[in-house]
Amino acid sequence: MTAPPASAAAPPPPAPAPLVADGGAADAEAPSADASSGDTRAELSDAGNDAAEVAAPYVADNKVLPPESSEELQKRAAALFDAIVNDDPARGESFWFPKEPFISLKDVKGPDKYWDQLHRTYARDIHALHKKRKSWEGATFEGFELGSKPKWVPPGDEGNKIGYYRTFRGKLRYRIGEKTESLEVRVIISWQGRWFITHLSKFKK
């Protein structure tokens, strides 16, 4: 992932809370406790549907390879497709890399401002993809596929303090009429066992 020059060395940040995709907000949320059992649980909202799940333990080095496909990934991909069809970037937030862990992950000057820049680009890319068709009437989501074989990007590479798995050129597949077509998802990286987009289309500085 393209990044500005690394900043001077700083003390390591505190571990972010376990990340839970929320389907409508980019930031991670801390899990709540289940009063009846004492188990730590978190709310997962995918494309507007809430579902409770046990929060996975936080892995400090982030070296957890997510599955190539899962129900939650497909739901978040479907939400992105819905955002493109309706020209509404807010609907695709659950597939975008959230701000809190991004700030902890990146070893660059002003990681919060860098995230803001990338996030604005994500919204612009959604608008641009929407305009690729004169009409999206009848378009239905078929599924999402990862692109290149996931590669571990270690700390120190690409302006990172924490490593991650990265894959390029995923495919957002959809059907319209009798044809199945696809949209490219340029860069996807892992965080705590889930895939998130950092560049939807080709990144231009």
Side-chain angles (χ1 to χ4, degrees):
M1 181 168 59
T2 308
S7 61
L19 179 62
V20 176
D22 61 11
D27 293 341
E29 296 179 353
S32 59
D34 184 331
S36 62
S37 66
D39 293 338
T40 300
R41 295 186 181 274
E43 292 301 314
L44 174 66
S45 171
D46 290 307
N49 295 319
D50 293 333
E53 67 171 18
V54 177
Y58 176 79
V59 178
D61 66 2
N62 192 39
K63 203 164 188 178
V64 182
L65 179 62
E68 291 190 6
S69 185
S70 64
E71 183 178 355
E72 66 87 20
L73 175 61
Q74 294 301 323
K75 286 182 178 179
R76 291 189 290 120
L80 171 59
F81 181 70
D82 185 53
I84 294 167
V85 168
N86 290 281
D87 199 16
D88 182 3
R91 301 189 186 200
E93 282 297 297
S94 61
F95 207 169
W96 174 250
F97 199 99
K99 191 169 190 175
E100 180 185 349
F102 184 90
I103 291 171
S104 297
L105 182 147
K106 300 305 292 184
D107 188 18
V108 300
K109 183 178 181 180
D112 55 337
K113 294 180 180 178
Y114 183 38
W115 184 92
D116 290 343
Q117 176 192 0
L118 294 177
H119 189 244
R120 287 192 298 270
T121 301
Y122 182 63
R124 287 198 298 268
D125 288 343
I126 288 174
H127 290 311
L129 289 172
H130 174 78
K131 292 176 182 177
K132 281 185 172 290
R133 300 194 69 94
K134 290 182 179 179
S135 173
W136 288 91
E137 185 177 358
T140 56
F141 176 75
E142 290 278 288
F144 175 75
E145 300 171 7
L146 290 184
S148 62
K149 182 178 179 180
K151 175 185 176 182
W152 176 249
V153 179
D157 286 7
E158 300 185 354
N160 303 326
K161 286 184 285 189
I162 303 172
Y164 49 73
Y165 288 98
R166 181 193 61 209
T167 173
F168 294 118
R169 297 180 176 86
K171 295 295 183 185
L172 198 65
R173 300 196 182 278
Y174 65 97
R175 177 172 289 276
I176 189 162
E178 298 299 317
K179 295 180 64 178
T180 297
E181 302 192 23
S182 66
L183 298 169
E184 182 179 276
V185 179
R186 190 77 178 188
V187 183
I188 305 162
I189 69 174
S190 68
W191 181 256
Q192 299 302 310
R194 289 181 177 161
W195 294 113
F196 292 94
I197 296 170
T198 54
H199 302 299
L200 177 52
S201 300
K202 187 174 181 180
F203 183 64
K204 299 177 181 178
K205 291 186 178 182

